[in-house]
Amino acid sequence: MNIFESINESTTNAVKSGENYVKKTEEYLKLKIFQQLSFSLSMLVKIVLVGGFIFLGLIFLSIAGALALGKVLDSVSLGILIVGLVLLLFAVIAFLLRKKIDKTIISKYSKSFFD
């Protein structure tokens, strides 16, 4: 075997190894994308389901609380007003804490994304 055949064989082996590496990397990336998409979709479905039921529950609790408070205060409209103001107060608190909420969500999601 002369030196040119040896170089040709080494080059062929290097090309095959490179092609194999690219192929395996592509397969890995496809699996990683599938994992992240399925994780995101399942998380979204869970959030919508649980969030929807919590939202409905809060609506009914707010109505019941407003009616009960109105009965105690002898004014249904005053009870509804107080409950509405309490809900607005919660909204303002959530708005003020939005950056902290974003950081928490991003840090927890980034752990699952980059693992």
Side-chain angles (χ1 to χ4, degrees):
M1 181 182 314
N2 67 26
I3 191 150
F4 291 114
E5 289 175 358
S6 176
I7 291 173
N8 186 27
E9 185 178 330
S10 296
T11 304
T12 304
N13 287 340
V15 168
K16 286 181 183 177
S17 294
E19 288 173 352
N20 190 27
Y21 174 76
V22 169
K23 189 178 183 183
K24 295 297 179 185
T25 302
E26 181 183 358
E27 291 173 5
Y28 172 76
L29 287 175
K30 284 181 182 178
L31 284 172
K32 188 67 173 175
I33 289 169
F34 174 75
Q35 176 196 21
Q36 291 303 314
L37 285 175
S38 60
F39 174 76
S40 299
L41 183 62
S42 68
M43 183 67 71
L44 180 67
V45 169
K46 286 186 268 185
I47 287 172
V48 167
L49 282 175
V50 173
F53 287 123
I54 289 173
F55 181 71
L56 286 173
L58 286 175
I59 287 174
F60 284 111
L61 284 174
S62 296
I63 292 170
L67 292 175
L69 190 58
K71 198 175 210 182
V72 168
L73 298 174
D74 291 329
S75 174
V76 175
S77 60
L78 188 59
I80 292 172
L81 179 67
I82 291 172
V83 169
L85 290 175
V86 168
L87 291 175
L88 282 177
L89 178 66
F90 287 154
V92 168
I93 291 171
F95 180 76
L96 293 175
L97 295 175
R98 70 188 183 280
K99 290 185 181 182
K100 187 173 184 175
I101 294 169
D102 286 343
K103 286 180 185 178
T104 304
I105 290 172
I106 289 170
S107 67
K108 288 189 179 195
Y109 190 69
S110 65
K111 288 178 187 175
S112 68
F113 187 78
F114 292 111
D115 283 345

